[in-house]
Amino acid sequence: MVVRAALRRSTYHDSMALMRLAESLRALPGVREAAALMGTPANREMLAGAELSTPEVAGAGPGDLVLAVRAESPAQAEAALASVDELLQTRSAARSGERQASPRTLDGARRRLPDASLVSISVPGAYATLLASRALRRGLHVFLFSDNIPLADEIMLKRLARQRRLLCMGPDCGTAYLAGAGLGFASVVPAGRIGCVAASGTGLQAVAAHLSALSEGLSHGIGVGGRDLSAEVGGVMTTLALEMLAADPATEVIVVVSKPPAGAVLPALETAARATGKPVVLCCLGAPQRPGEGPLWVGTLEDAAAAAAALASGRPWRPREFTDPEFTRRHLAADGAPRRRLLGLYTGGTLAHEARVLLEPLVGAVGALLNHAGHRIVDLGEDEFTLGRLHPMLDPAGRAALVREAGQAGDADVLLLDLVLGRAAHADPAGPLVAAIDDARRAAKGRGRTLAVIASVVGTVGDPQNSAAQRAALEAAGAVVFPSNAQAARFAALLLDRRLEGKLLSGAAPERPVAPSAPSPRPASGAATPIQAPRVINVGLEVFADELQAQAVPVVHVDWRPPPVDAQVVALLARLDDDVELEPAARP
Amino acid sequence: MGMGVTIAGANREALQRLCRARPQWTAMRTAREALVLGERTVLHAGPPIAWARMCPPMRGAVLCAIQYEGWATGADDAERLAASGEVVFAPCHSRGALAPMAGVISPSLPLLVVEDRVNSTTAYSFMGTGPGPQLRFGAHGPEALQRLAWNRDVLAPALSRVLEREGPLDLAAHMAQALAMGDEMHMRNAASTALLAKWLAGPLAAVVTDASQLERILRFLTRENDQFFLTWAMCAAKAAARAIEGIPGCTVVSTMARNGVEFGLRVAGLGDRWFTGPASIVDGSYFPSFSAADANPDTGDSAIMETWGLGGMAMAASPAVVRIVGAKSVAAALETSRRMGEICVGANPTFAIGALEWEGTPTGIDIRRVVETGVVPSINTAIAHRDMKVARIIGAGIATPPLAPFVDALLAFGEAYPEAA
């Protein structure tokens, strides 16, 4: 085994392009491991940790591209490194239809797209605040995919946005839908009359997909980031989004998806929900339900979509544990073995959280770490799994390896999985997963064990991956596939404890008929800025620009590179923006 | 309380002044008259530098000027005098003046005088001496001295009489026309020089009565002297750039210059303060038998061209200059102008470029954009030999100034305009 590394000085590519490059390198003959990273100190440390470091790597700066491979022979390692330029070119050729080079700055992009309305930002967190504040100061909405942004910056940005009645969607916002345009990782869903405010990308995707299955659609899906309802941020964007949806003529019913809001924020949230004058469904995963007047509380993403659809069409609705109890009974009966241990391997963080809050009251504590002793549900999108690799929604290889491992060793006999589809996600996430499930079941059988595999698919038949095809592939591999994550989690509980049958499958679930007690719709106030189809400046991951272009959304991609200066100067650049009123220093 | 000034407002004002400038060549004056230059004072190109640190070609130029002034006879005496501390050195830019390459200005040199009545500014420049051994590359032998003397005794008086007879020359219009004829005004001045000769020819015939003298002047203007107009262009650019000096809250570069050791810049909102870093070795194409190993680091006040949005900023106007400066392709030249647009406040409609669909030249370099993108102004320039005994041009190319002075200027701006309490 040999390690070879190479440097490309002053060469920048976004992280997704680089991780795709690494993925392509790993697929080359004889290559065991490959990395393509910018030469930041953290990345160099990681390479050293992965034993991919060579003297070349030590001399790299943050603006230099580092390439490293471990291969079976020197010739194979060198061949892999030699193919890098070609692999990178294939990537950039895809967008070379444009006559001139991409602009390098936000203002340069505005000259190309003078009526741009939104900036999509997916650069490393250290630079995102500068770009987001600049966008907001220029009167542009922000879709902020970047994470690792300090809380103080988030508060500053959202206050700025609030003052200007602009959306600051994020930080750490994975998905949004504005007037039919999907931003970030978005499923292909029809436009409709349900507006959604979501703290999480997969939560919003799940609601959108469920609505689509119920023949309903989204008017807008506004992401706000996971911290918006914290005491510190105070729900600034959630309340602004609610005001905008209230004023939006296309929106008839509103859904809010989040983790439990901070105690201090809850009253403001309920007040804002009431003030919309429209029916509001609150889905705060893990929060105690609050029956009574006002917004309708629901416990799962599926229920959020179903309740909203019912409210929109004036039908009564009540939560159900399983949409097809017969299907559940059949599969429960078919699974003879008593099951002992759950392992959830998730790519969607909110889906993992939803499963955990559903399961804990039913089967007891559920750990979040791979090496936890009891039941566990692991979010593979967490940083520890994604350092230097693609998010598992983009690269299924990491999870496939864990599924195989579960067949060979460990005590888990129930595997709970999610599969998230949509634009920008992996082209066939079921493919590698199915192969891994086959291997895992064979390996388990060889050890005299069996493995129950339960899954749900978040996506639509319109998605590039086609949810029906993905589901069929999983079923062919012997997975029991449920129409929602919540149902999949409940089925897992049933496998682990048959005594729950009475509670979950008796058909006597507590009646919660919901009258469509919608307050009479208020005329939309003219004060709010209407939410319009976005015209986008994309800074960061190029794939987001590609996906917008595929949706015929006007988009200009910025050929952004990290400013070659330290954090102090980046902060100064943010402060010295165009319209900031200056104060001269007192003369000595 | 804020002072009601925003960077956007200040920079808009700067752009407006740079664009509305209408510099005119109005007169020829000696440095002594024009700048009230004290005896034994020598102004040099670039940011401040002491004799001891000057690059060899600039030392050569100083030796040339000292002999020209008659302060010493012979190079050895001149060198002793220069090192003695009796000669005062200061940057040309400290007096609103300019010297190309390693050039200097001494009291008896005839200077171009350019006035902009719109912005009420005046600038002064060394006047070129044509090809061959010359002060700006450090030549200080008899031939270089002869050229200076001819400029002083023959050419400058003739030009003076032409201006008296014809009135001033509108340089903005002249340069706009030359730009459309393929000059970028820094490394290609073939069109502008021809236009200058055309404008001068008739009046010269009227004011120069000696036929052989007239012939010599016309031959000088029209033979192997294609860069002659550069110092006029520089002087026009300086007159324009002076109009933005001192605008409060302005982050636009008001001066860029090199002295062969350091690159320096000044910022409109930061007064006279220089921010400097090491001058780069020019990435260029060299004349036969010369290479980068012979090159002196980047030098001269001619980067005032880029400061006004010409030269490297206007590459798109000049497919012809692409080969001169060794750029990759005409497409790369177009791309350079577009990229420069990203670090500039706006475009100057006076200098519209056909290849850019009549967009103006990128104008008003904003230090914030430079720092954020790491894209520094691209400077087209000639390359001087590092040895003052060779003292000649050895090629031309594109100089990439260091980023550090732009960062330092931004930090200083942050201190000058601190965060509101």
Side-chain angles (χ1 to χ4, degrees), chain A residues 369-382:
Chain A
L369 301 174
L370 263 181
N371 56 6
H372 187 272
H375 301 309
R376 53 209 184 271
I377 292 178
V378 185
D379 172 10
L380 300 174
E382 291 281 358

Side-chain angles (χ1 to χ4, degrees), chain A residues 13 276 278 304 348-349 352 360 469 553 572:
Chain A
H13 292 276
T276 61
K278 295 181 181 181
E360 283 199 318
V553 173
L572 186 58

Side-chain angles (χ1 to χ4, degrees), chain A residues 485-506:
Chain A
N485 180 51
Q487 295 188 41
R490 291 187 190 110
F491 184 68
L494 285 172
L495 289 185
L496 292 165
D497 184 356
R498 302 275 171 148
R499 288 169 302 177
L500 292 168
E501 218 172 315
K503 181 170 178 166
L504 297 176
L505 265 174
S506 66

Side-chain angles (χ1 to χ4, degrees), chain A residues 27-80:
Chain A
L28 293 174
V31 176
R32 291 297 180 81
E33 185 55 284
L37 299 161
M38 299 307 293
T40 59
N43 283 344
R44 280 186 284 136
E45 204 171 294
M46 201 169 63
L47 284 172
E51 287 169 19
L52 279 169
S53 209
T54 70
E56 287 96 336
V57 173
D64 303 329
L65 171 59
V66 183
L67 304 154
V69 293
R70 187 186 303 122
E72 284 154 25
S73 73
Q76 285 169 324
E78 276 145 29

Side-chain angles (χ1 to χ4, degrees), chain A residues 191-445:
Chain A
R193 52 185 171 167
I194 316 257
C196 190
V197 184
S200 93
T202 41
L204 178 52
Q205 284 213 71
V207 169
H210 284 305
L211 285 172
S212 175
L214 296 165
S215 302
E216 287 285 348
L218 282 179
S219 55
H220 313 285
I222 300 172
V224 294
R227 294 189 299 214
D228 195 64
L229 292 172
S230 66
E232 294 84 354
V233 183
V236 177
M237 261 316 114
T238 303
T239 47
L240 179 64
L242 285 172
E243 284 170 35
M244 287 186 172
L245 291 175
D248 176 55
T251 303
E252 294 174 20
V253 175
I254 298 169
V255 177
V256 178
V257 177
S258 76
K259 288 190 177 177
V265 183
L266 183 56
L269 174 63
E270 286 186 309
T271 307
R274 251 192 303 274
T276 61
K278 295 181 181 181
V280 175
V281 178
L282 282 184
C283 174
C284 302
L285 296 169
Q289 311 280 300
R290 290 161 63 93
E293 291 297 302
L296 170 60
W297 286 77
V298 298
T300 67
L301 298 165
E302 178 184 29
D303 285 353
L311 285 171
S313 54
R315 283 184 280 109
W317 169 85
R318 65 185 171 86
R320 283 185 295 175
E321 310 294 353
F322 289 99
T323 41
D324 184 353
E326 262 322 298
F327 173 90
T328 309
R329 280 196 197 95
R330 202 164 60 242
H331 282 283
L332 195 57
D335 194 79
R339 301 278 168 191
R340 298 178 44 243
R341 197 63 84 216
L342 169 76
L343 174 61
L345 294 172
Y346 273 78
T347 61
T350 297
L351 300 172
H353 174 72
E354 182 186 44
R356 185 175 299 108
V357 301
L358 277 171
L359 280 166
E360 283 199 318
L362 300 173
V363 301
V366 177
L369 301 174
L370 263 181
N371 56 6
H372 187 272
H375 301 309
R376 53 209 184 271
I377 292 178
V378 185
D379 172 10
L380 300 174
E382 291 281 358
D383 290 349
E384 54 176 306
F385 300 105
T386 56
L387 258 181
R389 280 193 172 263
L390 282 179
H391 191 279
M393 283 182 206
L394 299 162
D395 179 4
R399 180 163 70 170
L402 291 173
V403 168
R404 282 195 177 86
E405 229 173 271
Q408 282 162 352
D411 59 349
D413 53 4
V414 178
L415 271 187
L416 182 58
L417 307 168
D418 66 344
L419 204 63
V420 183
L421 314 180
R423 300 178 189 280
H426 191 274
D428 176 23
L433 194 55
V434 159
I437 291 171
D438 284 343
D439 289 350
R441 304 192 107 176
R442 233 191 331 273
K445 201 171 178 185

